[in-house]
């Protein structure tokens, strides 16, 4: 294989040097497979050499957020600095989601231990990249991910480490690379930064994006009602309660009943039938298809079935059961690690993809969004309980996705305001904190002309994080 003109080393050379060429195929990164025309991706772009890297992090306390049979009480905000030989530097941020990305790692370590492992992978990525050159962020991610994943397997001691754990660790690095790529190539907006090959899947410009709050397992119905009173017309409702499968199903059915009693008669202008849509996230807790069928049978019995817009990740990723015959839209989230995983899920009957630019990197998200678009599978953006600035990284994707069926706007889960103890202080770090798109109004974010012109503020310098590298 000839040396890739777009990088300081060829992909095969890189993988061989790392001793992990065989692992690449398992990550959906085979050099012979390309999603999107790389010539289009790299057209007339500069080769950028990375000469400086640095990293840091902040701990942010949370009110307990319960899912996957566990709970998180802290989220590390990882920060990566990337500088080029031209003297330009950019800072990328990422929120670590250890429980979401790999429950086994989360449960095998202390909260600090699990976060430290992910942060070590972020630092490892910076070490790999320093001294090398790139032309576009997507190719760079393809080159770096296999070695970061292999390093993660080593330090966690988990041979079955989820790819999303590695991707989550790469978010601050990938964001910094995108910002550097844009600056070096004279790009002023997020639209200019989207490579041509991935523009079809991100071609809309909604003037509103639904703000979807998230309620953890065991959430109070009063809180859910309060959110509806504030104008939220779609809410993420965590099911998969703790306990045995029998105990879980009983609790989930009870919760569904209470939700439908509370929201069933509400009206909204944002759905075709005028009713509140239900969005359930099971987080892989159901072991068998029959368990989900019993849940759906109850939904039919109480008249809630037709209001279920989507059920996210009911089963573990190793459960290959076909889900296209359940009569409801089933979405893939954490199991759609890479674009190849997403395509496999689509073959299993999954008819929606939850995108997470703030958890799986913007680079991987663009590939998944385009692949789903080509398969006519709708997407929406899910949260990772991220900070306010990352909310707008996600929003830039949500606002450009094609409409979810029967809903004429973008969809984005944002729950940080519910769980961060210092949310208001974190909002003050946003470089455009007073812009109208930053805050929810009557259940939606207004994403008008100014939002697109200013790219939601994600390209602006962030003084709070710049100060972390004053040394």
């Amino acid at each position: 294989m000839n040396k890739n003109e777009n990088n300081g080393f060829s992909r095969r050379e890189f993988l061989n040097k790392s001793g992990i060429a065989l692992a690449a195929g398992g990550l959906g990164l085979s050099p012979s497979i390309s999603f999107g025309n790389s010539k289009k991706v790299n057209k007339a772009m500069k080769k950028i050499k990375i000469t400086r890297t640095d990293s840091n992090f902040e701990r942010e306390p949370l009110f307990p957020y319960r899912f996957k049979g566990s709970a998180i009480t802290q989220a590390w905000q990882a920060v990566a600095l990337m500088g080029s030989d031209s003297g330009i530097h950019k800072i990328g941020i990422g929120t670590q989601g250890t429980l979401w990305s790999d429950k086994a790692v989360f449960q095998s370590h202390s909260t600090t231990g699990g976060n430290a492992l992910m942060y070590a992978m972020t630092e490892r990525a910076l070490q790999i990249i320093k001294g090398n050159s790139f032309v576009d962020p997507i190719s760079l991610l393809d080159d770096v991910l296999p070695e970061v994943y292999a390093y993660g397997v080593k330090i966690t001691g988990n041979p079955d480490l989820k790819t999303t754990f590695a991707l989550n660790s790469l978010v601050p690095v990938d964001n910094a690379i995108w910002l550097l790529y844009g600056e070096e190539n004279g790009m002023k907006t997020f639209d200019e930064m989207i490579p041509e090959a991935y523009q079809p899947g991100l071609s809309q410009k909604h003037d509103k994006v639904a703000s979807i709050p998230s309620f953890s397992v065991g959430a109070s119905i009063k809180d859910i009602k309060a959110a509806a009173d504030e104008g939220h017309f779609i809410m993420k409702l965590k099911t998969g309660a703790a306990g045995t499968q029998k105990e879980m199903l009983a609790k989930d059915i009870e919760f569904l009943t209470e939700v439908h009693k509370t929201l069933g008669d509400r009206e909204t202008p944002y759905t075709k039938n005028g009713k509140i849509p239900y969005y359930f996230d099971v987080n892989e807790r159901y072991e068998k298809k029959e368990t989900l069928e019993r849940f759906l049978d109850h939904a039919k019995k109480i008249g809630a079935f037709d209001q279920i817009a989507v059920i996210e990740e009911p089963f573990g990723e190793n459960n290959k059961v076909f889900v296209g015959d359940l009569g409801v839209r089933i979405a893939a989230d954490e199991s759609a690690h890479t674009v190849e995983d997403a395509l496999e899920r689509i073959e299993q009957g999954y008819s929606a993809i939850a995108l997470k630019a703030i958890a799986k990197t913007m680079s991987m998200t663009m590939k998944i969004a385009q692949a789903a678009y080509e398969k006519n599978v709708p997407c929406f953006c899910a949260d990772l309980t991220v900070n306010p600035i990352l909310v707008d990284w996600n929003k830039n994707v949500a606002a450009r996705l094609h409409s979810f069926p029967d809903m004429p706007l973008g969809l984005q889960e944002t729950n940080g305001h519910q769980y961060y103890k210092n949310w208001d202080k974190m909002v003050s770090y946003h470089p455009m904190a007073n812009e109208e798109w930053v805050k929810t109004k009557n259940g939606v974010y207004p994403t008008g002309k100014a939002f697109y012109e200013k790219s939601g503020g994600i390209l602006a310098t962030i003084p709070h994080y710049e100060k972390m590298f004053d040394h």
Side-chain angles (χ1 to χ4, degrees):
M1 184 176 181
N2 295 328
K3 178 167 285 192
N4 185 339
E5 296 176 356
N6 299 324
N7 294 292
F9 40 78
S10 74
R11 187 173 303 170
R12 181 167 293 173
E13 288 171 345
F14 181 91
L15 296 176
N16 287 338
K17 180 180 74 172
S18 305
I20 49 171
L22 292 176
L27 295 174
L29 299 173
S30 168
S32 63
I33 297 174
S34 175
F35 293 91
N37 187 322
S38 61
K39 291 182 180 179
K40 288 184 179 181
V41 173
N42 298 330
K43 185 178 179 181
M45 298 302 166
K46 291 174 60 176
K47 180 183 285 187
I48 303 164
K49 185 173 182 179
I50 302 300
T51 57
R52 178 190 176 197
T53 63
D54 205 343
S55 69
N56 211 328
F57 70 91
E58 291 181 322
R59 306 171 192 237
E60 287 291 346
L62 304 171
F63 297 108
Y65 187 15
R66 296 177 175 85
F67 59 99
K68 289 195 177 185
S70 297
I72 55 173
T73 56
Q74 185 183 111
W76 285 20
Q77 312 301 310
V79 189
L81 181 149
M82 308 284 283
S84 70
D85 58 358
S86 68
I88 296 172
H89 79 269
K90 292 293 178 180
I91 291 172
I93 54 178
T95 297
Q96 296 188 171
T98 52
L99 174 57
W100 170 80
S101 59
D102 198 313
K103 179 180 176 180
V105 175
F106 177 87
Q107 293 185 332
S108 298
H109 299 83
S110 65
T111 295
T112 297
N115 279 290
L117 289 167
M118 184 178 284
Y119 178 69
M121 293 166 69
T122 302
E123 176 64 21
R124 179 63 184 146
L126 293 171
Q127 293 174 357
I128 295 167
I129 294 169
K130 188 176 181 179
N132 285 295
S133 300
F134 77 99
V135 171
D136 73 275
I138 294 176
S139 295
L140 182 61
L141 178 76
D142 285 353
D143 286 332
V144 171
L145 177 57
E147 185 172 345
V148 172
Y149 177 81
Y151 178 71
V153 168
K154 181 179 179 180
I155 65 173
T156 62
N158 181 1
D160 299 317
L161 183 70
K162 306 289 189 186
T163 309
T164 42
F165 197 87
L167 286 166
N168 194 173
S169 77
L170 285 165
V171 169
V173 178
D174 188 68
N175 285 353
I177 287 293
W178 275 102
L179 294 173
L180 194 60
Y181 164 79
E183 181 78 12
E184 290 276 8
N185 287 287
M187 299 171 179
K188 304 298 183 184
T189 66
F190 180 72
D191 283 313
E192 292 180 67
M193 291 165 60
I194 302 172
E196 185 179 345
Y198 307 106
Q199 288 173 6
L202 295 171
S203 58
Q204 299 299 298
K205 287 193 175 180
H206 297 292
D207 63 1
K208 297 182 186 67
V209 171
S211 173
I212 305 175
S214 179
F215 294 92
S216 65
V217 172
S220 165
I221 291 296
K222 289 183 179 179
D223 291 340
I224 294 172
K225 180 181 182 298
D229 291 340
E230 291 173 4
H232 293 284
F233 73 94
I234 179 170
M235 288 161 268
K236 187 172 190 174
L237 305 168
K238 295 279 189 179
T239 52
T244 66
Q245 290 287 292
K246 182 178 180 180
E247 292 168 340
M248 173 194 68
L249 181 59
K251 292 175 185 176
D252 287 355
I253 284 176
E254 181 181 1
F255 180 59
L256 169 62
T257 301
E258 291 303 310
V259 166
H260 191 55
K261 283 181 180 178
T262 304
L263 303 180
D265 294 330
R266 294 240 179 185
E267 296 182 351
T268 175
Y270 295 116
T271 59
K272 189 174 181 179
N273 64 9
K275 294 185 176 181
I276 293 282
Y278 302 152
Y279 166 17
F280 293 106
D281 183 8
V282 192
N283 280 121
E284 304 181 312
R285 280 279 291 149
Y286 284 22
E287 294 176 2
K288 296 181 179 179
K289 184 177 180 179
E290 291 76 12
T291 308
L292 179 56
E293 288 173 331
R294 298 293 78 76
F295 179 83
L296 295 175
D297 286 343
H298 183 73
K300 293 174 183 176
K301 180 180 178 181
I302 65 174
F305 185 81
D306 290 339
Q307 287 178 243
I308 298 177
V310 63
I311 294 179
E312 185 179 304
E313 289 290 19
F315 311 116
E317 66 180 83
N318 293 323
N319 189 333
K320 305 301 183 182
V321 66
F322 184 74
V323 300
D325 55 0
L326 289 167
V328 296
R329 192 176 296 277
I330 307 296
D333 178 16
E334 54 263 52
S335 69
H337 310 282
T338 67
V339 65
E340 288 190 339
D341 295 322
L343 290 169
E344 181 180 349
R345 283 310 205 199
I346 291 170
E347 288 299 314
Q348 289 175 238
Y350 286 76
S351 52
I353 303 290
L355 299 177
K356 272 188 161 85
I358 40 70
K360 299 177 190 174
T361 73
M362 182 65 75
S363 294
M364 188 62 74
T365 295
M366 284 187 181
K367 292 206 282 188
I368 295 173
Q370 181 62 26
Y373 169 76
E374 291 172 6
K375 293 289 186 178
N376 198 32
V377 171
C379 297
F380 59 96
C381 284
D383 198 2
L384 190 71
T385 313
V386 297
N387 61 63
I389 296 168
L390 286 177
V391 168
D392 276 324
W393 277 83
N394 229 14
K395 200 178 298 168
N396 269 284
V397 174
R400 290 169 173 83
L401 291 172
H402 292 259
S403 296
F404 206 74
D406 300 330
M407 298 184 208
L409 73 174
L411 300 181
Q412 176 179 355
E413 176 201 358
T414 46
N415 63 57
H417 63 287
Q418 298 171 273
Y419 297 104
Y420 280 105
K421 292 184 178 181
N422 300 319
W423 180 255
D424 289 342
K425 182 178 180 181
M426 295 168 72
V427 170
S428 73
Y429 304 158
H430 196 301
M432 298 183 184
N434 295 322
E435 295 287 351
E436 66 171 359
W437 69 76
V438 175
K439 295 183 179 179
T440 301
K441 297 179 181 178
N442 297 318
V444 300
Y445 291 110
T447 50
K449 183 179 179 181
F451 172 79
Y452 295 100
E453 289 178 344
K454 299 179 181 180
S455 302
I458 69 170
L459 308 187
T461 299
I462 310 167
H464 174 78
Y465 295 110
E466 290 285 341
K467 290 176 183 177
M468 295 174 71
F469 300 100
D470 280 347
H471 62 275

